[in-house]
Every structure is written in C-alpha cells, then in structure tokens.
Amino acid sequence: MEEDDEKITTTNAIVSVIFFLFLSTINAANAQDNAAIMMKLASSFKPPPPTWISNNNPCKWQGITCDNSGQVISISLASKSIYGTLPSELAQLSNLQTLSLQNNHLTGPIPPLSNLTQLREVFLDGNSFSQVPSNFLQGLPSLQSFSINDNPLQSWSITYGLIESSSLQQFFASNTSLIGSIPDIFGSLPSLKNLKLSYNNLTGFLPSSFAGSGIQNLWINNQKQGLTGVLDVLGNMPNLVQVWVQENDFVGPIPDLSQCTSLFDIQLRDNHLTGVVPPSLTNLPKLLNISMQNNKLQGPIPVFKGDVQVNLGFTNSFCRNTPGPCDPQVTALLDIVSALGYPNELADSWKGNNACQNWAHITCDSNGKVSVINFAKKNWVGTVSPSFASLTSLTSIILNNNGLVGKIPDVLTSLNMLHKLDLSNNNLTGKVPSFGKSVEVITDGNPFIGTNVDTTGSLRSPPGSGDSLHSPKPNLSPYEIMGIVIGVLVLFIVAGFLLYPYFKKWLFKRIYSSKPTPFGKPIIGHNSQGSPMDKSNMLSEHNVYSYGNNFPIELLREVTDNFDDKNILGRGGFGIVYKGVLQDGTQIAVKRMESNVEGTKGKSEFEAEIAVLSKVRHRHLVALLGYCINENERIVVYECMSQGTLGQHLFEYDEMGRSPLTWKQRVVIALDVARGVEYLHSLAQQSFIHRDLKPTNVLLGDDMRAKVSDFGLVKRASDQGKYSLETRLAGTFGYLAPEYAATGRVTTKVDVFAFGIILMELITGRKALDESLPEEQSQLATWFRRVLINKDSIRKAIDSNLEADDEEIFESICKVAELAGHCTAREPLQRPDMGHVVNLLLPLVEQWRPTELESGNGIDIDMSLPHILQKWRAGETATSSGYNDDNSRNYHSTAPTTPTMGLSFNNIDAR
Ligand SMILES: *[C@@H]1O[C@H](CO)[C@@H](O)[C@H](O)[C@H]1NC(C)=O
Ligand SMILES: *[C@@H]1O[C@H](CO)[C@@H](O)[C@H](O)[C@H]1NC(C)=O
Ligand SMILES: *[C@@H]1O[C@H](CO)[C@@H](O)[C@H](O)[C@H]1NC(C)=O
C-alpha cells in the first residue's frame, strides 16, 4: 500500500513539473496562434484598416484589444467600410469576448462561433453574410448580446444549442431569412429581455416557454408566411414593454393582458384576430400605442384613454361604428362563441349589430329573435356556454360532432321554448341536467357523459386556434418524456434478463460473422408524436426532447431514399450509417440503430449516444444534428464527415485510391483525437469515458482534421472520475486495457490505453489485431512494446509509407512511439492523463506550423472548424464513404464480469 502511495506521489510530482513546463510553452504558443489568426483576418479584409498593415503586433491595431498575455479579446470595427470575408480561423481566438463588425460590407459565410466560451457580444448587423454554419450558436456560455439583423443569409433556424447561453440578454436576428418555428427554449434563458426576429419566414406557434420569461421587448412582426396559433401566452409575460406581432397569421382573441402592466406599445394589426377586445386591454396603465387594423375583431369598439395612439382601421367586425354596447342578442352570441375560441368563420360572417341579418348558423323567428343555433360538425373545440340561456326564444341548439368538453350548464333548462338539444359526438361529462319532457336531449357519443371525468384537460393545451379538433397535440413535458424513457429503459433491462440466453446465442453468431443483421420489417411512417407533418415545415417543427432536433421519420426516409443501400456510408457497431442531403444542401449521416423483433437492440446505445452528444460539444467530437424515435426504431443524425474514417485511411487507402497519410497528418489527427477525448474526460459536471476508441471511430473532414465519433458505449465517469465497476464489458478487441478486460474496472485510463494503440497504428500502419500474422506478432500492443527497446528497432517497425529517413520526422515518430508506450502501460496509474498527452503532442504539431500564412503547401493546421458544411453546400461531392466499423471485432457481453471469471488480457487474445 505504502509503496503504491509513494509511486503515486512521485508520478504526481513529475506530472506537475512537466505540466508547468508545457503550460508556459502553451501560453507563448497561443499568443503566436492569435497573431497568425489576426494576420489571416487582415488578409481577408479588403482593405484592412490602415494601422493593420504597418504593424505586426495585432494588439496594437485599430479596433483590437488584447489581454495581458497578448490574446485578442475584442475586435471592434463597426461602420468602417470594410469589404471581404471572415476567415474560419476566427473561431480559434479562444479568449475573444467582443466581435463587433456591424455595418460593413462583409460577405461569405459567418465562421463557426461555437465553443468560444468567453464570447459575450456579437454584432454583425448590416453586412452581406451569405450563411451561418451548422453548429452556429452552440457552446457559447458567456453570450449576452447577439445581433445579426439585416443580412442576406441562406435560410437557417434557431437551434436548441442556444440554451447553453444562459446569460443571453438580447437576441436580434431580424431580416436574416430565419425559417422554422421559434424554439421552445425560453425557460432556459432567464436573462433574455429583447428578442427581435422580425422580417423573416418563421412559422408555427408561439413557444409556451414565453410564459414566465423576462422578455420585455418582443418583435416578431412581418413573417412571410406568418406565425400562427393564438396569442394567449402573451398574457403570461408580465415584463412585456413592447410587443410587435403585426403581419402574421395569428388567430383567436386578444388575450387578457392585465398582468402586463408595463406594456406601452402593442402592434396587433394585420392578423386574423377575432373576438371581443378584452376590457383589460383598454385599462392598461402604461399603454401609449396600439394598432388593431386588418383583423376580424368583434363586439363593441374599444375605447382607450385620450393619450393612447390607436389604430382600429375599418376592416374589423365591430358591432357598431361608434362606442357603446352591442345588441343583447349579439352580446349573447359572442359570449357563446367566446367559449369556442371565436372561430374564424363566424368572425367573417357575423358583422353588424343584428344577429338576424344573414349571420351564419343562426336562424331567427318572425319576431327577430334567435331561435336556432346550428353548429353541427364544425370540429370546434371549447365548452357549452351558459349564455345560451340568455337567448330565451331558442328552440333548437345543435352542437353535434364538435370537440365540446366539460359539463352541460344547468341554466340551459330555463329555456322554455327549447325542443331539441343535440350534443352528440363530443366529449362532455357530468350529469345531464333535467330538461323538461318536451326537450329532446341527444348525448350519444360522449363517452364520459354522466361521469365526473374531467375532459377539459384538452382545452388547456395551447396553442391551437380553437378552430378545429385537429389542432396539434401538446408536446410532452420533459418530465413526461423522462418518465417514458425511464419506463422504456426498465422494460429493456427486464427484457434483457429474460432474453439473455437468446442474446448470448446471437452474440456468438455476431462475433463470428461480419455480416450485419438485417433490419426488421419496415415501419409504418409517422413521427414520434403521431401527428401529420407538413413537408415544408419538417425541418423546422422542433419537438422538445431535452436538446437537439427530433427529425421526422418521413424526412429521414426521403433524404436517404428510404434507406437505400446506395446511400450506405458504413456499417457501425450498432447500426447502418446512411448519407442524406437536406433541402438546404447540408449533408448528414443518418445512423439507423439495428432493430430486431424484440425491438431492444441498440436502444440503450441510442439513449447513451443522445445523452452524451446532447451534453458535449467540441470541435473534435462529431456533432449531433438530431435524432428520431419511431416505434421500435432509433435513428441518430450526425454531421457528415466527408473523408471517412481514420481506419480507412490507414488500412484501406489503396482500395480507396488514396495516398497514405503523411506523418504530419497523422500527428495532427492524433492531437485532434487527444483533444476530443481530453474534453470528454475533463467535463466539469460529469466526465465521460468513451470506451470504444479505435480508428474506425475517428472520422475525418475535408481538411483531414479528425473528430471522435460513436458514443454508444460512452460511460459516465463515477463521482471523482475514479473507479467504477462495470457489469458489462464492451469495446473492441485489441484496444481493451488489460485491467478493464480482466476486472471490468473502467476509468478514463481505459481510453488512454486505446489511444496508445491508435498511436501505434499510426506509427506502424498495422492493425491492433492482425490474425494473419504469427501469434507472437498478431497483437500490436505486445509486439510494439518489444520494438520500443531502441531506436533501431523502432525504425524497422515504422510504416514503410512514412518518410522515416527524414531525421526530423524520425525524431517526431520516436517521441510519439514513446508516448504510445506510456499510454499502454500495464498499470493504469502509470498511463498519462489525456491532458498530458495533448501537451506532449502539441509541440510536435507546432513544429510544422507553416511559417508564412500565404504558403499554400502542406496542411493548414489552423483550419480546424467545419468548413465542411459550407463546401458541401457549394455542391462539392464527398468522395468516400465512412463509418465502416469492424463488426467482427466488436465484443459486447451482458455477462457480469467479476474477477472470478478470470478473464485476462491473454484469455481474450486466445479467443
Ligand atoms: C433586409 O436586409 C436587406 C439587406 O440584407 C435590406 O436591403 C432590406 O432593406 C432589409 N429589409 C428590411 C425590411 O429591413
Ligand atoms: C406607434 O407605433 C407606430 C407604428 O410602429 C409608430 O409609427 C408611431 O410613431 C408610434 N407612436 C408612438 C406615440 O409611439
Ligand atoms: C375525452 O376526454 C378524455 C378525458 O380527458 C380524454 O382522455 C379523451 O381523449 C377525450 N376524447 C376525445 C375524443 O377528445
């Protein structure tokens, strides 16, 4: 024990010393980085601001502010008549706090700003930017102010990633071609005060999380097709000061805004608002400016205080041209339809102050009294109003085949002339009041009539128009979803135990055959909520499921030609990956989890993958774009990585018609992977262990920069990131750390081991496990450690494609070889942390940093963020397939792995 402790302390000391040494080099390196990026920025500006050319210290440039260590924190160049573009490297100014470039003539794409953790303010208004990157506005925890008004962008949508910006105070994106609905994210943005999304093409309903938000200024006016649904949620936004919703497709009545005591300006004109203007509106204490023209408002003309500037227009359906109450029958009828949400059709027809003048669905007797109200088969949703009782001459009330809920008001029994009350085929409840003998009361088709079941629940579901039964069903709350997920998981676990014997059989087959299991029968198409989808809205109709986008199955079918074989990118551990192209040209990778008859396979991997990917975002981890849950089927949608897997580039470059990777490329890839994994390991809230690192799970983009993928086996590191005992051994032969294979003990060092194996593969061009070789050589790790003895033997082991006679390169290879040795140390404690690995690799990459930026040769190591999407959009076709996964080598077992099983590293080898 004591000996062990001593070992730990010594290791710690060494690690700290090395860490500090590297820390200092990193700082210097970062300042250099900054300078290089700023030079790039200067060369992208036409013309660069005058002081920029004459001085090679960017911190001295006009509009640039640096911190003490020479890192750029602010770029402020508003209204400087600058032409040109923004280089993608901008995203690497990791200390940037302010980016202020409004009112210039900048063109081209906006670079990815994701993961600039310090970024507080972004002003890009009034330029000519052409598009936003796919992961725009994700991972920006410090963002407070964001403004890109008036840019001719390609269509884009606001994503759920924005909820990470929990300090956001203002978000301005008017006139920027926004499409889709306003995402329901405002519960996560408590500081948001100003939201401006005017002059776009937003559709859908107001998000329910507007309720209770602190929004003061809400500008969502002038949407091309128009936002729709009711405005009810405004009534629950007590901080509102200014509300512009004009020129949309809103329906239903003006809500009760009596809570909005600070409201001074509300623009409601040019919608389809119906119903009586609520008296609370005219009494708002601060109101100064209101417009209501070009709606279908009903009832008495509202009268505001003298200092309020009002525009009522001439096309509303007020009962009289002058203030004052409406005719009593008109008032009663408006009351009746108020309980139905003031259907549009009636607002069109019910004009003037005489209900007997051609009002739709109303019949009067010869005395000018309303005798018949016939709203049969309208699918209107609401309740039966007690105000029917005010129309004392009624003989027939026909309300069959609607969506009426609640109770039948007792007061209806006072209608002396009533002969017929048809309430059939609704959803009414409660006791039927005792009508006189002469009244025919029809209540067939109300399943809960006579019971106390509360059917009014469906009424509270926003944000339908009240016009039809087909208004969308409410989204599930996160708790409900969590409940469902937990329930489903429990089911799987139970099913897992029951099916374990069969599973073992299947597993055996799977290990010895590399053929993928075929999918079950095709699934009848509907999305997870079972509601029909409007195709044009498919991408924009987000459904809340913690984070990310829920893609409709129809869309995924469409973009993959119904999962056609020709679109297969590769076969992964848990499913087949297809390529798809969205309407806007974005290429996506669609991983369809294998589903079997029991529907259990791949689902826990799916849950794990979604759980991890929605929490982590890093430029060296493949990004989640969305997912789809459809009956038994689970689908994950990622960004598409055009260059396929590292495995292909290392072992199948010939078949692919590629040249082998250069050493420089390999070191850069190693560093990328290390950074991605380091990030996974070091997340503050909960760190993750990948558990299945291998070249087939490293994807390469156009620029040959790498991202780690396949998070289906990711495990949350327990508490202090120390040890956890796994009940399920998972991973891939050849990459399994010995202690993990033997005892199931999982730590982050399991990933370090696998990373070490990848380094060995990068150096030797050999696979981790090559059964074609004699037994003593077949396992790379064992063989390589023998090679490490001296430089001569290393030289012999190096991939013949590498330029090992270049001494500089050979030195670099030796360093990586040594690192690989440390990473694969038998004792987990002796393996370095991933952060340490990054620090060791960094100077090796720096070594080949191009000195002058203009040089076009070699790889540009600054270009790391996805240029990829924009290139795809430009129509370049991706050349290779990716995501091949060596199925036969995957090892999954639900067997509890206890020390008594005596599984050792060598045992596994022997299988
Ligand atoms: C929208 O922005 C364009 C420039 O991108 C500008 O010409 C146009 O006037 C703006 N439209 C509105 C309504 O502000
Ligand atoms: C009221 O709003 C209209 C339209 O936005 C504007 O033209 C007018 O100046 C405003 N008046 C006041 C008093 O704010
Ligand atoms: C009627 O109300 C019940 C109880 O709220 C609900 O479960 C049911 O789905 C409703 N039926 C229809 C047809 O709306």
Side-chain angles (χ1 to χ4, degrees):
M1 262 325 246
E2 262 170 39
E3 208 177 285
D4 265 5
D5 282 353
E6 210 170 291
K7 224 191 258 167
I8 298 170
T9 342
T10 332
T11 323
N12 277 350
I14 295 171
V15 169
S16 326
V17 170
I18 296 177
F19 181 71
F20 280 116
L21 285 178
F22 277 113
L23 209 61
S24 41
T25 51
I26 286 168
N27 258 338
N30 281 347
Q32 264 176 30
D33 272 6
N34 267 246
I37 297 164
M38 293 307 292
M39 297 303 268
K40 186 101 188 198
L41 183 63
S43 66
S44 312
F45 281 171
K46 310 274 184 282
T51 56
W52 285 35
I53 311 157
S54 49
N55 193 320
N56 51 25
N57 179 3
C59 296
K60 302 249 161 74
W61 293 351
Q62 177 200 10
I64 306 300
T65 315
C66 295
D67 62 11
N68 292 337
S69 61
Q71 310 244 38
V72 175
I73 56 172
S74 166
I75 301 175
S76 296
L77 293 166
S79 310
K80 292 278 185 280
S81 304
I82 300 169
Y83 288 81
T85 58
L86 290 183
S88 64
E89 288 82 354
L90 203 62
Q92 292 165 31
L93 291 174
S94 53
N95 287 26
L96 194 64
Q97 296 172 8
T98 300
L99 181 62
S100 176
L101 294 167
Q102 64 271 39
N103 303 322
N104 284 295
H105 308 282
L106 294 168
T107 53
I110 296 179
L113 301 173
S114 47
N115 301 322
L116 286 175
T117 53
Q118 311 293 312
L119 196 60
R120 282 189 216 153
E121 304 172 304
V122 177
F123 301 102
L124 300 172
D125 319 55
N127 280 288
S128 296
F129 288 114
S130 59
Q131 63 188 50
V132 303
S134 66
N135 52 351
F136 200 37
L137 304 178
Q138 289 179 353
L140 301 174
S142 309
L143 192 65
Q144 294 174 3
S145 198
F146 175 83
S147 188
I148 52 165
N149 298 330
D150 303 318
N151 273 289
L153 296 169
Q154 280 177 20
S155 301
W156 65 294
S157 323
I158 305 170
T159 61
Y160 288 96
L162 193 60
I163 67 173
E164 289 169 65
S165 307
S166 54
S167 315
L168 194 65
Q169 292 171 10
Q170 54 182 13
F171 187 93
F172 290 164
S174 81
N175 194 16
T176 57
S177 315
L178 270 174
I179 57 167
S181 50
I182 303 175
D184 202 358
I185 56 176
F186 298 92
S188 308
L189 302 174
S191 309
L192 189 68
K193 292 193 171 61
N194 302 314
L195 180 65
K196 185 167 189 169
L197 305 172
S198 314
Y199 295 97
N200 282 302
N201 196 2
L202 292 168
T203 51
F205 303 126
L206 294 184
S208 48
S209 60
F210 268 171
S213 76
I215 295 176
Q216 297 176 356
N217 296 298
L218 179 66
W219 296 290
I220 49 175
N221 51 294
N222 294 77
Q223 305 298 328
K224 250 187 215 130
Q225 293 174 62
L227 291 157
T228 187
V230 296
L231 292 172
D232 289 4
V233 73
L234 298 181
N236 295 319
M237 300 174 73
N239 296 315
L240 285 176
V241 171
Q242 193 168 35
V243 177
W244 289 5
V245 297
Q246 71 268 25
E247 302 210 24
N248 274 297
D249 266 336
F250 290 115
V251 298
I254 300 173
D256 176 3
L257 298 172
S258 51
Q259 280 189 56
C260 310
T261 48
S262 308
L263 191 64
F264 86 91
D265 180 18
I266 179 165
Q267 305 294 324
L268 301 166
R269 67 181 164 84
D270 297 287
N271 279 291
H272 309 289
L273 301 178
T274 54
V276 177
V277 177
S280 57
L281 188 68
T282 53
N283 294 332
L284 281 176
K286 295 269 172 63
L287 193 67
L288 284 178
N289 201 349
I290 182 165
S291 71
M292 295 192 269
Q293 66 268 35
N294 300 325
N295 281 294
K296 299 170 183 174
L297 294 166
Q298 298 160 288
I301 284 195
V303 180
F304 292 87
K305 282 174 284 175
D307 53 351
V308 181
Q309 187 175 329
V310 191
N311 192 335
L312 295 176
F314 306 99
T315 53
N316 278 304
S317 309
F318 297 124
C319 59
R320 297 165 52 181
N321 294 329
T322 52
C326 304
D327 172 79
Q329 290 203 123
V330 171
T331 305
L333 285 168
L334 288 176
D335 262 0
I336 288 167
V337 295
S338 134
L340 300 171
Y342 297 110
N344 237 316
E345 178 192 341
L346 297 183
D348 286 333
S349 157
W350 290 11
K351 295 197 166 131
N353 205 19
N354 184 352
C356 298
Q357 253 173 12
N358 294 325
W359 279 29
H361 311 301
I362 302 298
T363 310
C364 293
D365 60 20
S366 52
N367 301 324
K369 296 286 173 198
V370 176
S371 58
V372 178
I373 297 179
N374 186 345
F375 294 159
K377 299 184 183 171
K378 286 290 168 195
N379 283 339
W380 290 338
V381 176
T383 57
V384 181
S385 169
S387 296
F388 280 105
S390 317
L391 298 169
T392 50
S393 302
L394 275 172
T395 57
S396 296
I397 304 177
I398 314 294
L399 301 173
N400 61 296
N401 297 76
N402 283 292
L404 299 176
V405 295
K407 299 193 162 141
I408 306 168
D410 287 330
V411 67
L412 264 54
T413 54
S414 68
L415 288 168
N416 293 326
M417 325 254 298
L418 197 62
H419 289 307
K420 185 169 182 182
L421 176 60
D422 188 349
L423 298 167
S424 54
N425 300 320
N426 283 291
N427 204 1
L428 294 163
T429 57
K431 208 169 133 268
V432 181
S434 31
F435 288 91
K437 283 227 173 77
S438 55
V439 188
E440 184 192 3
V441 182
I442 311 173
T443 59
D444 304 342
N446 287 276
F448 299 99
I449 196 84
T451 73
N452 281 326
V453 173
D454 180 15
T455 51
T456 54
S458 58
L459 263 195
R460 282 192 288 274
S461 70
S465 62
D467 235 0
S468 109
L469 266 180
H470 301 301
S471 55
K473 297 193 176 127
N475 286 337
L476 292 178
S477 81
Y479 297 106
E480 286 168 315
I481 289 166
M482 212 191 293
I484 292 170
V485 169
I486 290 170
V488 167
L489 280 177
V490 167
L491 265 181
F492 290 158
I493 291 166
V494 171
F497 273 111
L498 294 178
L499 297 171
Y500 174 59
Y502 305 96
F503 181 69
K504 225 169 48 178
K505 239 189 240 164
W506 164 83
L507 176 73
F508 186 82
K509 270 198 219 144
R510 183 179 152 101
I511 287 176
Y512 291 98
S513 89
S514 53
K515 274 199 194 139
T517 328
F519 289 124
K521 60 176 181 347
I523 294 128
I524 289 81
H526 66 75
N527 77 337
S528 59
Q529 296 196 318
S531 59
M533 302 290 296
D534 170 10
K535 271 212 181 133
S536 63
N537 267 350
M538 272 180 171
L539 260 185
S540 48
E541 289 286 351
H542 306 292
N543 297 314
V544 184
Y545 188 97
S546 67
Y547 303 65
N549 297 344
N550 189 350
F551 281 77
I553 184 75
E554 293 86 352
L555 176 74
L556 296 179
R557 287 232 180 81
E558 191 182 306
V559 301
T560 59
D561 298 320
N562 205 11
F563 302 108
D564 196 287
D565 279 357
K566 72 173 188 290
N567 290 320
I568 292 183
L569 282 174
R571 295 171 201 271
F574 309 104
I576 298 187
V577 183
Y578 299 83
K579 185 169 138 178
V581 185
L582 300 182
Q583 265 173 4
D584 67 350
T586 310
Q587 298 204 5
I588 56 174
V590 179
K591 177 153 99 181
R592 192 183 195 191
M593 297 303 212
E594 279 182 43
S595 60
N596 55 355
V597 186
E598 295 87 32
T600 55
K601 261 175 59 187
K603 279 192 185 169
S604 58
E605 286 79 12
F606 171 83
E607 302 286 353
E609 192 138 19
I610 297 294
V612 174
L613 282 173
S614 58
K615 284 195 197 77
V616 303
R617 226 164 256 117
H618 188 269
R619 62 182 145 139
H620 297 304
L621 300 179
V622 71
L624 173 75
L625 299 179
Y627 53 84
C628 170
I629 301 175
N630 183 64
E631 297 185 352
N632 270 340
E633 191 155 36
R634 299 291 182 270
I635 297 173
V636 190
V637 183
Y638 311 98
E639 62 179 316
C640 187
M641 299 286 285
S642 58
Q643 296 297 310
T645 73
L646 174 60
Q648 293 172 320
H649 282 267
L650 279 180
F651 310 125
E652 291 158 29
Y653 57 89
D654 244 0
E655 293 93 305
M656 291 165 63
R658 297 302 182 89
S659 43
L661 295 171
T662 65
W663 179 246
K664 295 175 196 182
Q665 286 175 316
R666 295 184 198 203
V667 187
V668 172
I669 289 168
L671 179 60
D672 289 349
V673 174
R675 280 183 156 148
V677 177
E678 180 201 17
Y679 170 81
L680 273 183
H681 286 180
S682 60
L683 279 175
Q685 303 301 319
Q686 49 184 198
S687 72
F688 294 101
I689 303 170
H690 187 285
R691 290 206 297 173
D692 202 13
L693 282 181
K694 54 183 172 179
T696 46
N697 284 341
V698 173
L699 305 182
L700 300 173
D702 266 356
D703 49 4
M704 296 305 284
R705 299 300 298 263
K707 295 189 188 207
V708 176
S709 79
D710 215 321
F711 301 87
L713 290 179
V714 165
K715 192 165 161 35
R716 199 196 292 182
S718 64
D719 301 313
Q720 266 70 50
K722 283 282 176 191
Y723 299 121
S724 84
L725 209 67
E726 226 340 50
T727 51
R728 197 181 81 144
L729 189 59
T732 305
F733 286 130
Y735 303 86
L736 291 178
E739 80 282 0
Y740 177 44
T743 66
R745 198 172 63 178
V746 195
T747 66
T748 51
K749 296 297 175 66
V750 166
D751 285 345
V752 177
F753 184 92
F755 180 76
I757 304 290
I758 297 178
L759 291 181
M760 292 175 182
E761 293 179 299
L762 287 169
I763 293 168
T764 62
R766 280 187 40 183
K767 289 187 179 179
L769 203 62
D770 190 344
E771 273 138 7
S772 65
L773 290 173
E775 194 171 336
E776 69 276 11
Q777 289 181 24
S778 70
Q779 209 213 318
L780 182 59
T782 322
W783 174 75
F784 193 84
R785 256 187 259 120
R786 284 200 296 273
V787 164
L788 270 176
I789 300 163
N790 63 54
K791 286 197 172 179
D792 272 347
S793 57
I794 293 180
R795 199 185 285 276
K796 282 186 207 123
I798 292 171
D799 186 345
S800 57
N801 290 312
L802 291 177
E803 322 81 332
D805 34 358
D806 178 325
E807 270 316 301
E808 203 188 5
I809 287 181
F810 181 62
E811 272 312 306
S812 172
I813 293 176
C814 285
K815 282 183 187 147
V816 176
E818 197 186 333
L819 176 61
H822 288 304
C823 288
T824 53
R826 203 164 186 87
E827 282 300 318
L829 270 178
Q830 288 169 0
R831 293 175 212 147
D833 285 332
M834 222 56 203
H836 198 156
V837 171
V838 169
N839 290 342
L840 278 160
L841 289 171
L842 202 58
L844 299 182
V845 170
E846 295 283 328
Q847 202 175 332
W848 288 296
R849 180 170 288 275
T851 35
E852 76 269 53
L853 281 158
E854 301 308 316
S855 76
N857 56 3
I859 47 159
D860 183 355
I861 51 179
D862 284 324
M863 190 170 114
S864 66
L865 281 154
H867 246 170
I868 304 155
L869 283 174
Q870 90 212 25
K871 283 189 183 164
W872 286 335
R873 289 201 179 115
E876 279 182 34
T877 42
T879 39
S880 85
S881 67
Y883 308 96
N884 268 318
D885 208 338
D886 208 347
N887 244 343
S888 54
R889 295 269 163 74
N890 257 333
Y891 177 74
H892 302 283
S893 160
T894 50
T897 315
T898 61
T900 50
M901 275 184 69
L903 256 187
S904 81
F905 202 34
N906 292 327
N907 281 350
I908 290 180
D909 278 350
R911 289 183 61 150

